[in-house]
């Protein structure tokens, strides 16, 4: 949540660089944006606007000349989205400006202390304590850096901070604790940001900062990193960013979400590329080779994730149990971290995350840090915190996902989980070969669903006016139902609930009436007839039903009001095709309602606070 960027260089391009960086990071939060830049000797100018980065650009007008700047795009945690609460925040005499992503947990205590010292606060944010505290320590310190270090020592919580001071106009500071921060180093410039998408235009040489590290970057492109917990300098080589800049734009699509849905076939290919050999019936997961020995002793896997990644985990649970015969439990990371469950060393923790920066999932991994258990990751964002925290893992290779609603990442996660299930199996399972062959065939089948986009759009237009929706499914269809409901509610603001179809009679059936349609996942499986019974029960109560069924199913026409067909596939791979159809449905419902599909209200792409 929130994105920060800081730029310092020899040319006067900092304001443009920061604005472009903020645009790239806007998916992280978009309720307000602000920038601070050196505006002549000893003066830091700030501009802040409610709304998108474009509003900030419009307000700044012609490009401002400055060799250093820091900027912020906000997802409000403390205080409503107003200009006063937008970042950057100043100290009283406006000589220090700070941008912050994260939460300062002890801000109330610090604010009380500073108020007693005469400091006046003008915002409702937790962040404002930071410039005042630096100012407070600066009164008795020898250098600005010393005051900053004393401040960092006092802050509890999570932060990525960008700090500039008029005292040192040629220096930019940035610090990190439990919030992502990457430093880019170019020719005569340094740029810090919440993620590499804001950096890649300037340089591919980067350093990922670790917790308790801060960087002092100067306009000649040099930098020093220090571990402020142990007060020691840190020597770090830059690494080369493996990131394709071209992927992060919309191309000819009206929205990132549609583009990313249409990337499903390519996502399926990329997730299996170089990992699946159909002819020799082999799965090769290079990312797990270094833990091959430990994996032999694993007799239980706990998957932790949030939101869509959690639902992908539920599909993974069925896959791993059915194919590899290893018991799996999937937990919401936000709950996992507070549980006191016994954990044996033969249990592996598997974190799934698109961004690799989700605070709850990181906290789950941290919780087991000293348990001596194997920590695995299924992560999309290369070099992200979770990717670096885990002992081993498998990248999703879905490319950057920009729309807030996760689409192609789900496809990649489920595909990778299928590969992990195969990798962990003894290859004797009767599903081994058919599943491998089906993974190879899926991209073409996903294309066939995309070809039905116009029909799905018409269906979405027909149903966009309803206020409530139920999604039901059994076994592999159950996580699909949960994910389908999440996708609909987050971008169309329609109330939608996902349920295991077998639970209908235990409560949800009471809600059914003509104005409460149900989306039934009724693809081919040994349980299909039981799902038919659920559909009959809904129809008997005058409920409308949209079914997703497998091509060639003639029975469903007589049962459901409307049907979306997916190509014939295995029960185990059906979620990958069902998901594409449901994503298109949600997308077109939101479009019909005239909503901002890529940036739904109240949400942000990367949830880096608890
Ligand atoms: C829903 C969605 C969220 C994320 C969740 C986890 O469309 O995008 O539910 O899936 O916030 O995010 P990651 O996968 O980045 O850990």
């Amino acid at each position: 949540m929130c994105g920060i960027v800081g730029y310092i260089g020899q040319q006067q391009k900092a304001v443009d660089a920061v604005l472009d960086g903020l645009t790239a990071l806007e998916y992280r939060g978009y309720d307000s944006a602000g920038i601070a830049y050196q505006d002549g000797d000893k003066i830091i100018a700030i501009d802040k606007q409610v709304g998108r980065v474009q509003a900030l650009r419009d307000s700044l007008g012609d490009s401002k000349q400055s060799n250093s700047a820091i900027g912020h795009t906000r997802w409000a945690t403390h205080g409503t989205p107003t200009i006063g609460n937008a970042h950057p925040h100043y100290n009283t005499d406006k000589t220090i400006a700070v941008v912050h992503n994260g939460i300062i947990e002890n801000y109330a205590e610090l604010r009380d202390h500073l108020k007693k010292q005469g400091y006046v606060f003008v915002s409702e944010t937790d962040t404002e304590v930071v410039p005042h505290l630096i100012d407070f320590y600066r009164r008795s310190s020898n250098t600005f850096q010393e005051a900053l270090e004393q401040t960092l020592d006092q802050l509890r919580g999570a932060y990525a901070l960008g700090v500039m001071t008029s005292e040192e106009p040629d220096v930019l500071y940035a610090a990190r604790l439990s919030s992502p921060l990457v430093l880019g180093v170019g020719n005569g410039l340094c740029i810090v940001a919440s993620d590499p998408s804001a950096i890649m235009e300037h340089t591919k040489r980067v350093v990922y900062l670790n917790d308790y590290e801060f960087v002092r970057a100067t306009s000649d492109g040099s930098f020093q990193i220090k571990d402020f917990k142990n007060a020691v300098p840190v020597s770090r080589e830059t690494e080369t960013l493996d990131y394709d800049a071209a992927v992060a734009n919309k191309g000819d699509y009206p929205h990132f979400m549609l583009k990313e849905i249409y990337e499903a076939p390519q996502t399926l290919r990329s997730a299996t590329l170089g990992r699946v050999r159909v002819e020799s019936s082999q799965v090769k997961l290079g990312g797990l080779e270094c833990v091959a020995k430990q994996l032999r002793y694993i007799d239980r896997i706990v998957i932790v994730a949030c939101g869509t990644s959690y639902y992908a985990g539920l599909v993974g649970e069925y896959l791993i149990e059915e194919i590899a015969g290893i018991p799996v439990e999937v937990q919401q990371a936000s709950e996992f971290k507070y549980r006191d469950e016994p954990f044996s060393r033969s249990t592996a923790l598997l974190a799934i995350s698109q961004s690799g920066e989700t605070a709850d999932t990181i906290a789950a991994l941290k919780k087991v840090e000293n348990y001596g258990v194997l920590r695995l990751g299924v992560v999309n964002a290369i070099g992200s915190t979770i990717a670096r925290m885990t002992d081993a893992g498998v990248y999703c290779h879905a490319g950057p996902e920009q729309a807030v609603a996760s689409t192609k990442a789900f496809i990649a996660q489920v595909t990778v989980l299928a590969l992990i299930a195969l990798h962990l199996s003894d290859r004797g399972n009767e599903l081994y070969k058919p599943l491998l062959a089906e993974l190879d065939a899926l991209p073409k089948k996903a294309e066939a669903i995309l070809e039905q986009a116009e029909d799905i759009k018409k269906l979405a237009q027909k149903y966009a006016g309803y206020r409530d929706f139920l999604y039901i499914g059994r076994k592999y269809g159950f996580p699909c139902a949960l994910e389908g409901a999440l996708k609909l509610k987050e971008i169309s603001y329609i109330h939608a609930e996902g349920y295991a179809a077998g639970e209908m009679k235990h409560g949800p059936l009471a809600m059914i009436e003509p104005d409460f349609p149900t989306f039934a996942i009724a693809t081919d499986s040994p349980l299909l007839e039981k799902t038919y019974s659920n559909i009959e029960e809904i129809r008997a109560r005058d409920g409308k039903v949209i079914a997703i069924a497998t091509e060639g199913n003639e029975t469903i026409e007589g049962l459901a009001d409307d049907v979306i067909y997916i190509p014939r596939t295995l029960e185990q791979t059906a979620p990958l095709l069902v998901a594409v159809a449901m994503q298109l449905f949600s997308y077109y419902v939101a479009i019909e309602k005239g909503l901002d599909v890529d940036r739904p209200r109240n949400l942000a792409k990367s949830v880096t606070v608890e």
Side-chain angles (χ1 to χ4, degrees):
M1 326 234 92
C2 302
I4 68 164
V5 192
Y7 178 101
I8 189 151
Q10 286 178 330
Q11 296 180 359
Q12 303 289 307
K13 290 187 189 163
V15 170
D16 283 344
V18 165
L19 287 173
D20 292 346
L22 290 179
T23 304
L25 294 180
E26 205 173 32
Y27 71 92
R28 301 177 68 90
Y30 36 85
D31 58 42
S32 47
I35 189 166
Y37 53 97
Q38 302 285 355
D39 192 15
D41 247 8
K42 303 275 172 203
I43 295 175
I44 297 178
I46 286 189
D47 194 343
K48 312 199 258 194
Q49 296 299 322
V50 170
R52 300 291 168 83
V53 176
Q54 188 56 46
L56 184 63
R57 274 186 203 276
D58 294 344
S59 157
L60 281 162
D62 285 346
S63 187
K64 301 279 185 279
Q65 302 290 304
S66 175
N67 76 326
S68 71
I70 53 176
H72 186 267
T73 177
R74 181 169 187 248
W75 185 87
T77 56
H78 290 68
T80 46
T82 57
I83 289 187
N85 288 335
H87 300 209
H89 291 285
Y90 274 135
N91 61 333
T92 309
D93 62 10
K94 303 187 175 176
T95 53
I96 302 166
V98 171
V99 288
H100 167 218
N101 165 35
I103 287 183
I104 308 294
E105 283 170 0
N106 57 335
Y107 82 99
E109 187 188 308
L110 294 170
R111 193 182 50 194
D112 290 349
H113 162 72
L114 287 163
K115 275 185 174 172
K116 282 186 196 137
Q117 306 298 320
Y119 285 90
V120 176
F121 284 76
V122 294
S123 80
E124 301 162 282
T125 65
D126 51 339
T127 305
E128 202 186 347
V129 297
V130 182
H132 289 314
L133 199 57
I134 301 173
D135 182 287
F136 171 73
Y137 285 121
R138 184 69 192 97
R139 292 177 187 184
S140 54
S141 68
N142 292 321
T143 61
F144 182 84
Q145 181 171 322
E146 200 180 302
L148 176 63
E149 288 181 44
Q150 286 170 315
T151 301
L152 296 175
D153 199 42
Q154 293 298 310
L155 303 181
R156 285 205 307 275
Y159 52 80
L161 291 169
V163 181
M164 60 194 285
T165 169
S166 54
E167 190 181 326
E168 294 180 273
D170 273 341
V171 180
L172 181 74
Y173 292 94
R176 156 187 173 139
L177 177 63
S178 300
S179 277
L181 192 62
V182 56
L183 166 73
V185 184
N187 280 339
L189 67 91
C190 283
I191 176 164
V192 287
S194 301
D195 90 33
S197 61
I199 285 181
M200 59 194 182
E201 202 186 301
H202 303 276
T203 177
K204 288 204 162 190
R205 286 168 56 218
V206 296
V207 178
Y208 291 96
L209 293 188
N210 292 326
D211 280 350
Y212 299 106
E213 284 182 355
F214 81 84
V215 61
R216 182 180 194 273
T218 41
S219 57
D220 59 0
S222 61
F223 65 93
Q224 290 102 42
I225 298 176
K226 189 166 176 184
D227 170 341
F228 58 84
K229 194 172 178 193
N230 300 307
V232 286
V234 177
S235 164
R236 303 278 290 283
E237 294 296 315
T238 56
E239 47 188 288
T240 306
L241 203 55
D242 178 13
Y243 208 86
D244 183 356
V247 194
N249 67 56
K250 277 196 289 225
D252 291 336
Y253 289 90
H255 297 100
F256 275 112
M257 183 174 174
L258 191 63
K259 173 176 182 263
E260 288 160 7
I261 296 172
Y262 270 80
E263 281 171 5
Q266 185 51 40
T267 302
L268 287 159
R269 285 187 196 102
S270 306
T272 53
L273 192 72
R275 294 168 170 170
V276 170
R277 309 239 191 303
V278 183
E279 325 76 53
S280 55
S281 290
Q282 270 188 335
V283 173
K284 192 172 158 39
L285 296 179
L288 297 184
E289 267 167 21
C290 59
V291 293
K293 255 196 198 152
Q294 286 136 287
L295 281 175
R296 266 185 244 135
Y297 299 104
I298 293 305
D299 59 12
R300 176 176 174 246
I301 297 173
V302 173
I303 294 180
V304 286
C306 301
T308 291
S309 300
Y310 167 74
Y311 297 142
L314 291 176
V315 181
E317 174 179 28
Y318 289 128
L319 286 167
I320 295 170
E321 290 189 341
E322 193 168 2
I323 295 159
I326 300 172
V328 178
E329 196 188 323
V330 194
Q331 298 192 30
Q332 283 158 335
S334 54
E335 286 297 313
F336 172 83
K337 58 186 184 184
Y338 298 115
R339 269 177 74 165
D340 288 321
E341 62 179 302
F343 231 79
S344 81
R345 288 213 177 162
S346 53
T347 299
L349 189 80
L350 169 62
I352 306 176
S353 177
Q354 187 287 125
S355 62
E357 302 294 351
T358 300
D360 287 324
T361 313
I362 291 173
L365 284 164
K366 277 194 179 151
K367 175 181 162 177
V368 301
E369 215 158 36
N370 301 318
Y371 290 14
V373 301
L374 184 62
R375 299 189 301 171
L376 304 172
V378 170
V379 174
N380 190 36
I382 293 171
S384 56
T385 304
I386 295 175
R388 287 178 296 121
M389 275 177 91
T390 40
D391 303 307
V394 186
Y395 275 122
C396 291
H397 292 320
E401 194 180 59
Q402 292 279 318
V404 163
S406 189
T407 54
K408 62 176 178 169
F410 177 83
I411 305 291
Q413 289 163 345
V414 172
T415 309
V416 165
L417 288 164
L419 296 180
I420 291 177
L422 292 164
H423 181 85
L424 296 177
S425 77
D426 60 6
R427 298 173 66 181
N429 188 294
E430 57 178 21
L431 271 168
Y432 193 94
K433 283 189 181 176
L435 184 53
L436 267 187
E438 190 58 17
L439 286 174
D440 198 43
L442 277 179
K444 283 249 164 309
K445 297 186 182 182
E447 278 164 16
I449 295 175
L450 295 170
E451 281 162 19
Q452 297 177 54
E454 273 307 308
D455 294 336
I456 296 176
K457 182 177 178 179
K458 285 190 193 120
L459 203 60
Q461 288 165 342
K462 178 173 166 188
Y463 284 90
Y466 288 94
R467 291 188 50 192
D468 306 281
F469 254 91
L470 195 66
Y471 280 69
I472 58 167
R474 286 173 181 267
K475 201 176 171 190
Y476 286 96
F478 171 43
C480 293
L482 296 170
E483 167 59 10
L486 174 62
K487 214 87 305 164
L488 187 69
K489 65 186 143 199
E490 70 181 318
I491 58 165
S492 74
Y493 318 149
I494 292 173
H495 162 237
E497 285 189 57
Y499 252 96
E503 282 286 296
M504 285 296 288
K505 288 197 249 334
H506 301 287
L509 204 52
M511 298 187 291
I512 297 302
E513 54 179 5
D515 280 347
F516 201 130
T518 299
F519 212 110
I521 321 299
T523 47
D524 283 4
S525 91
L527 300 176
L528 182 56
E529 296 210 335
K530 291 186 189 297
T531 307
Y532 285 162
S533 306
N534 295 119
I535 296 176
E536 300 268 21
E537 287 155 12
I538 292 164
R539 296 299 311 277
R541 274 117 193 130
D542 291 329
K544 296 191 178 50
V545 175
I546 309 171
I548 297 198
T550 309
E551 259 167 23
N553 179 341
E554 287 168 9
T555 315
I556 200 76
E557 296 274 347
L559 289 175
D561 295 272
D562 292 285
V563 185
I564 300 173
Y565 286 102
I566 64 160
R568 192 164 295 285
T569 186
L570 294 176
E571 181 195 2
Q572 291 74 12
T573 44
L576 292 161
L577 301 181
V578 168
V580 177
M582 291 189 316
Q583 290 164 4
L584 281 172
F585 180 78
S586 302
Y587 171 80
Y588 286 119
V589 169
I591 293 294
E592 182 63 15
K593 293 185 74 180
L595 298 172
D596 188 345
V597 183
D598 283 341
R599 304 281 179 260
R601 70 183 180 204
N602 305 341
L603 299 180
K605 181 72 180 161
S606 188
V607 187
T608 54
V609 293
E610 205 181 316

